[in-house]
Amino acid sequence: MTLTHILFALTLVMSLGAQAQCDAQPQRLIAHYSLEQPGKAVRSLELVRLDNQVALHWADDGLTERWTRLAGGQLRLERLFDQYQRAIEYQPEDLKALNSERAWKRQWQLLDPVALNALTVTTTSGDGCEHHQHRSGAGTELVWLPDLQLVQSLSSPSQTLTLLQLNHSDIDVQQRMQHWDQFAATDYADVGDNEQDPLLSKMIIQGFSRRQANTINHHHGHDH
């Protein structure tokens, strides 16, 4: 076997190994996006998935929304503030107005499932992590990675969302989640009992105002 054949074989094995890892772990990854909206500065969004948890980190604001899917499909939400190393927790009873399944998918894939299904598949290509669907409709163009349930690119009159980097390292994913685990948490129901803590009030106001500013229109809205 020539050196060329050996190198080709090694490349193929490495490629297949990476592909298998990618295919096996759609629920464990870090995806880095850029979000462009007319009249606004380009923003960074980091999507982190770890099994029954998904986090959306807005680096420009130092604000993260982390959702946990509990037994029975109920959801718990944490708003985490980098500047204060603090978090506010919203329990399932605080989120009971949500359609839990639909809300979970919105966070998990950055696309409302109803909006995704409304887009028509025009072409498909590739396999596994390289399996692409091109979808369009109502002025929106989407490149969708169905095996990973991820947006590769989304373009509409109101926004452009682009996947910049994808990380499948278990260690990196777990370290990211463990970082947020260390934040001191206050239950939303207890905020009223801590009115003497001006930081909590500031966090509540900051969390809601920035959530509105950070919303990915139409495809990544929140019910709560």
Side-chain angles (χ1 to χ4, degrees), residues 35-73:
L35 175 64
E36 300 178 54
Q37 295 174 305
K40 298 181 180 180
V42 177
R43 308 185 65 76
S44 297
L45 171 62
E46 181 183 69
L47 171 70
V48 184
R49 294 178 183 169
L50 178 59
D51 301 327
N52 66 335
Q53 287 188 309
V54 59
L56 279 64
H57 175 62
W58 297 93
D60 305 282
D61 291 335
L63 177 65
T64 303
E65 288 194 348
R66 184 167 67 166
W67 297 76
T68 301
R69 194 175 197 182
L70 306 173

Side-chain angles (χ1 to χ4, degrees), residues 46-216:
E46 181 183 69
L47 171 70
V48 184
R49 294 178 183 169
L50 178 59
D51 301 327
N52 66 335
Q53 287 188 309
V54 59
L56 279 64
H57 175 62
W58 297 93
D60 305 282
D61 291 335
L63 177 65
T64 303
E65 288 194 348
R66 184 167 67 166
W67 297 76
T68 301
R69 194 175 197 182
L70 306 173
Q74 293 180 309
L75 301 181
R76 182 177 70 233
L77 168 64
E78 300 160 275
R79 289 206 172 97
L80 303 119
F81 300 82
D82 289 346
Q83 180 180 354
Y84 313 118
Q85 300 284 290
R86 299 276 296 271
I88 296 176
E89 291 185 345
Y90 300 80
Q91 303 302 326
E93 53 268 28
D94 300 317
L95 307 172
K96 59 186 178 182
L98 286 175
N99 178 323
S100 295
E101 182 64 22
R102 183 174 175 181
W104 174 254
K105 287 185 176 179
R106 283 181 174 179
Q107 321 312 318
W108 185 260
Q109 61 191 27
L110 296 179
L111 276 172
D112 186 294
V114 174
L116 174 61
N117 292 332
L119 298 174
T120 301
V121 178
T122 55
T123 61
T124 61
S125 61
D127 298 308
C129 294
E130 297 302 318
H131 180 200
H132 295 72
Q133 287 182 348
H134 293 258
R135 295 179 173 228
S136 63
T140 296
E141 297 293 331
L142 169 69
V143 179
W144 176 244
L145 304 175
D147 289 46
L148 295 177
Q149 296 180 297
L150 274 181
V151 173
Q152 177 164 307
S153 65
L154 172 75
S155 178
S156 74
S158 61
Q159 65 196 337
T160 300
L161 183 67
T162 306
L163 178 63
L164 303 177
Q165 183 180 6
L166 191 56
N167 183 350
H168 288 277
S169 167
D170 265 4
I171 293 176
D172 291 346
V173 172
Q174 292 184 40
Q175 286 180 344
R176 202 77 182 94
M177 288 296 189
Q178 288 167 2
H179 167 70
W180 290 315
D181 287 341
Q182 297 171 12
F183 285 23
T186 300
D187 195 289
Y188 178 67
D190 297 331
V191 171
D193 299 328
N194 292 273
E195 293 179 351
Q196 73 279 9
D197 186 342
L199 179 57
L200 284 176
S201 297
K202 184 175 181 180
M203 286 164 60
I204 289 287
I205 295 171
Q206 179 180 349
F208 276 96
S209 63
R210 287 187 173 175
R211 184 194 64 167
Q212 296 298 326
N214 290 334
T215 296
I216 299 176

